[in-house]
Amino acid sequence: MTLAIIILTKNEENNIVDVIENARQCTEEILIIDSGSTDKTVELAKKSGAKVFFRAWDNDFAAQRNFALDKTLADFIFYIDADERLTLKTVEHLKKILAQGDLNFQYKIQRKTTAFGVTFNHGVLQPDYILRMFPREKIQWSGKVHEHPNCPCEIKTLQGYLEHYTYRNWAQWEKKMQLYSTIWAEDNFKNGKRISRAGAFLHASAGFLKMFFLKAGFLDGWHGFYTCANHFFYTMMKYLKLLELQDKNKKN
């Protein structure tokens, strides 16, 4: 069985060489789906031996992922972000799966996040499990933001985990928050979702309480509090932007 590793990029020159070298432990077929980098991402990716394809960014993460599916004939597809790394245990397990040659399963993997120089164990950035490996002919993605895979195969768990190095600073977090909240609001407005001002506040408050208490964000100290508080603002921003679209639609 063959494997292609897919990496979505935009301005990832600080990560691209390392993630390609990490991915090469599993396969030589590494595909970069770039959405218009203005730094050295594309140049460095090509020098590192990856295949680079361009798809113009249209606020649709699922479309970016689906775009890659006809760019390879590999049996399996594995998606990894530029700021993620496979552990050696995962690499060894992937090789065993490819040797077995069974296309009846999709695979999830645990992801452990390090942000602002801190590794999180609870709250918003606590370790989670994400679906990342699929038979190429049985996977399609949907959802413009926080996209999700649609695959009929039984789920198995990969050994090891993904090391996720995200948010080097708060400016980077704010930039991503603005992007994701805008896409979410526009997509949900288009699909008929509506909210009141009180509802926006309640959703944001519930998000904070869930992350800080139910998911024990407080156990990560001040960084846990900061990220849970920012989750409140992110959720509030999503709904405030949805409210803006509602108000604009009423005026028109």
Side-chain angles (χ1 to χ4, degrees):
M1 290 290 170
T2 54
L3 172 70
I5 291 185
I6 311 299
I7 308 169
L8 306 186
T9 60
K10 185 172 183 180
N11 295 336
E12 291 286 356
E13 65 179 7
N14 292 326
N15 285 312
I16 194 64
V17 174
D18 287 344
V19 72
I20 290 173
E21 290 303 312
N22 180 251
R24 188 167 282 119
Q25 297 176 91
C26 307
T27 179
E28 287 296 321
E29 188 170 6
I30 302 165
L31 278 60
I32 306 298
I33 309 301
D34 191 75
S35 57
S37 292
T38 56
D39 62 3
K40 295 182 179 179
T41 298
V42 171
E43 176 187 347
L44 292 171
K46 289 179 178 179
K47 285 183 178 179
S48 298
K51 299 177 183 178
V52 180
F53 300 91
F54 170 76
R55 184 182 184 277
W57 177 243
D58 59 357
N59 288 344
D60 193 332
F61 284 99
Q64 294 295 110
R65 295 192 185 278
N66 289 330
F67 176 77
L69 295 175
D70 63 356
K71 301 298 183 291
T72 176
L73 296 176
D75 299 299
F76 277 105
I77 295 287
F78 191 107
Y79 293 89
I80 186 170
D81 292 343
D83 58 2
E84 295 173 339
R85 304 291 182 268
L86 298 161
T87 60
L88 180 59
K89 192 170 185 179
T90 302
V91 171
E92 293 173 346
H93 192 198
L94 285 172
K95 291 178 179 179
K96 290 180 181 179
I97 292 170
L98 296 175
Q100 292 167 358
D102 192 339
L103 287 168
N104 293 312
F105 301 99
Q106 58 181 316
Y107 293 86
K108 65 180 180 180
I109 184 170
Q110 188 181 46
R111 176 175 57 180
K112 297 182 179 181
T113 296
T114 298
F116 316 112
V118 176
T119 299
F120 287 80
N121 296 305
H122 309 280
V124 180
L125 298 178
Q126 69 178 356
D128 59 349
Y129 281 87
I130 48 177
L131 287 162
R132 285 297 181 85
M133 182 172 170
F134 314 89
R136 178 179 57 84
E137 295 183 346
K138 298 179 181 180
I139 174 64
Q140 282 289 314
W141 293 79
S142 59
K144 287 189 174 183
V145 66
H146 303 307
E147 68 278 15
H148 57 275
N150 301 304
C151 179
C153 299
E154 180 183 342
I155 297 173
K156 286 191 173 184
T157 302
L158 286 169
Q159 297 173 7
Y161 58 91
L162 280 176
E163 298 171 336
H164 184 210
Y165 300 99
T166 187
Y167 303 135
R168 294 183 300 275
N169 51 58
W170 290 108
Q172 187 183 29
W173 175 86
E174 182 183 11
K175 183 178 180 181
K176 184 172 286 189
M177 180 200 71
Q178 292 292 350
L179 172 65
Y180 281 24
S181 59
T182 297
I183 297 173
W184 183 92
E186 292 174 348
D187 193 42
N188 278 268
F189 179 78
K190 181 180 178 181
N191 291 328
K193 186 176 181 63
R194 299 294 183 266
I195 192 69
S196 66
R197 282 162 175 75
F201 178 77
L202 289 173
H203 274 285
S205 299
F208 173 82
L209 294 173
K210 177 182 178 181
M211 293 299 170
F212 193 69
F213 292 108
L214 296 183
K215 292 196 173 183
F218 62 89
L219 292 178
D220 281 327
W222 280 109
H223 279 87
F225 173 75
Y226 297 151
T227 53
C228 291
N230 281 323
H231 183 71
F232 170 91
F233 288 114
Y234 167 66
T235 307
M236 179 67 80
M237 188 64 65
K238 291 194 306 182
Y239 286 104
L240 288 177
K241 289 181 178 181
L242 178 58
L243 278 166
E244 279 187 338
L245 292 173
Q246 291 174 208
D247 292 341
K248 183 178 179 180
N249 185 63
K250 288 179 181 178
K251 290 178 182 179
N252 293 336

